[in-house]
Amino acid sequence: MKICIVGAGAIGGYIGAKLALAGEQVTLIARGAHLQAIQEKGLTLRNADGTEELIKNVVATQDISAAGTQDVVIVALKAQSVPSVATSLPALYGDETIVVTAQNGIPWWYFRKLNSSYADYQIQSVDPQGIVEANIPVDRVIGCVVYPAAELAAPGIVQHIEGDRFSLGELDGSKSTRIQQLSQTFRQAGIKAPVRNQIRNELWIKLWGNLAFNPISALTRCTLEEICQYSLTRELARNMMLEAQAIAEKLGVEFGISLEQRIEGAEKVGAHKTSMLQDIEAHRPTEVDAIVGAVAELGKLTQIPTSHIDAIYASVKLLEKSVI
């Protein structure tokens, strides 16, 4: 398959490396020193077990329009970066091209193909001007929940830390031929890719913890373990998660685990800095709008109070403004 990874950073680079190693035709969209390193030396994947693999059978470019028509486009940019490239994406589309959205938080397509009274609602926090939806036709979209952790160890070098699951789902819950073929392609590359008929439920399970622990860590500079083991921040996270749960359940979401199980799962991750804290420390924009702001927006939409979420959202937005 011809597969283009738009945003070949840590997660995108990991996916691209695994697919290229399996023999797929992979194009990586990257920039700066990372792009230069890939073009000159290839992409190095450092596996969690300490082994390294050098991948040279990839095309790397900054110019999306130069990549040509693709079978699959995987958008692995963080949510706040997607609008800036959205208008370039149609250059990658053929008649049957599918687009896999691999962002954290509430996606722009959340209410599309959903039997809901909010079916036409446009989520302002993630796509305020409708640019993303206008350039990624909803019929092309495959939803994705990203679980692996990876980081750019250096330009051209992706360090895989842990996890190998990318849950996939059609927005209407169907198990289409195309999603089964995509899942098989991922599996052949050594990536777990279960097909879910309720992708929004799984999205919320991940988001449930992220919307609390990510911003709290950014504000306190503390790890997941520290946040969970300190009674006041654990209670704050719990209150944010309760507000989010009320919203999700109003939208028809079913949580397969308890709130305490989700918190305990985060605690077991240990001394881990969340991606939002890493972004703040690196003076980069964060995913706070998609992860926290969008949930606050859905609270207003469903008329469910979100006082804890609102306070933390405002605090991170100010922090973000001060460090970038």
Side-chain angles (χ1 to χ4, degrees):
M1 297 180 75
K2 293 185 66 178
I3 302 173
C4 183
I5 313 292
V6 180
I11 292 297
Y14 169 69
I15 301 172
K18 297 290 283 185
L19 290 169
L21 286 167
E24 307 299 342
Q25 298 179 53
V26 175
T27 299
L28 304 176
I29 306 299
R31 62 184 180 181
H34 183 48
L35 171 61
Q36 184 177 352
I38 298 171
Q39 290 175 330
E40 292 177 356
K41 303 175 184 177
L43 177 65
T44 297
L45 175 62
R46 289 181 180 170
N47 295 302
D49 63 6
T51 60
E52 283 193 4
E53 297 172 281
L54 178 62
I55 300 97
K56 290 191 172 182
N57 62 322
V58 295
V59 174
T61 179
Q62 184 173 334
D63 184 2
I64 292 177
S65 64
T69 301
Q70 304 289 315
D71 298 311
V72 180
V73 176
I74 300 175
V75 182
L77 295 164
K78 291 186 176 180
Q80 69 271 16
S81 299
V82 178
S84 66
V85 303
T87 57
S88 301
L89 297 179
L92 302 173
Y93 303 160
D95 291 343
E96 304 298 327
T97 304
I98 60 177
V99 180
V100 180
T101 57
Q103 284 72 53
N104 289 320
I106 298 289
W108 59 268
W109 51 256
Y110 187 87
F111 290 115
R112 304 300 177 256
K113 299 192 177 184
L114 184 65
N115 184 14
S116 166
S117 58
Y118 307 114
D120 297 325
Y121 184 78
Q122 180 177 310
I123 300 173
Q124 297 296 307
S125 301
V126 291
D127 191 18
Q129 297 176 311
I131 294 173
V132 178
E133 184 162 11
N135 289 280
I136 306 180
V138 72
D139 286 340
R140 295 190 184 274
V141 174
I142 298 288
C144 178
V145 181
V146 176
Y147 289 97
E151 63 184 19
L152 281 181
I157 302 175
V158 172
Q159 172 69 59
H160 177 225
I161 298 170
E162 57 92 20
D164 60 357
R165 176 159 59 101
F166 294 81
S167 294
L168 305 173
E170 290 279 9
L171 305 195
D172 62 4
S174 64
K175 292 198 173 182
S176 62
T177 299
R178 68 178 190 174
I179 200 170
Q180 292 182 65
Q181 290 175 338
L182 179 64
S183 176
Q184 182 179 7
T185 299
F186 272 49
R187 290 198 306 271
Q188 289 172 343
I191 300 172
K192 294 176 182 174
V195 176
R196 306 299 194 199
N197 59 7
Q198 296 288 343
I199 192 67
R200 293 169 184 83
N201 286 0
E202 191 155 338
L203 182 154
W204 270 99
I205 292 292
K206 182 180 181 185
L207 176 60
W208 203 14
N210 283 0
L211 72 92
F213 295 116
N214 279 31
I216 293 173
S217 72
L219 292 167
T220 63
R221 305 298 205 274
C222 289
T223 66
L224 289 175
E225 184 178 60
E226 291 169 325
I227 293 167
C228 293
Q229 292 180 357
Y230 184 59
S231 62
L232 295 180
T233 47
R234 186 185 184 101
E235 184 64 16
L236 173 58
R238 185 175 185 277
N239 285 329
M240 293 176 71
M241 292 169 72
L242 284 171
E243 292 173 354
Q245 182 177 356
I247 295 166
E249 290 178 344
K250 183 76 174 286
L251 295 174
V253 171
E254 297 179 2
F255 289 86
I257 62 173
S258 71
L259 188 151
E260 288 302 323
Q261 285 176 316
R262 184 66 180 86
I263 293 176
E264 288 166 7
E267 185 175 359
K268 288 176 183 176
V269 174
H272 171 67
K273 288 185 177 182
T274 69
S275 60
M276 196 173 291
L277 173 54
Q278 292 177 44
D279 285 341
I280 288 294
E281 290 181 338
H283 304 281
R284 295 189 298 253
T286 73
E287 297 173 287
V288 68
D289 287 319
I291 292 176
V292 187
V295 178
E297 181 180 339
L298 295 183
K300 293 180 176 66
L301 183 67
T302 55
Q303 298 183 321
I304 292 173
T306 55
S307 58
H308 295 88
I309 290 174
D310 291 348
I312 293 298
Y313 176 59
S315 299
V316 174
K317 288 294 284 184
L318 179 57
L319 174 62
E320 184 180 60
K321 181 180 177 181
S322 70
V323 301
I324 296 174

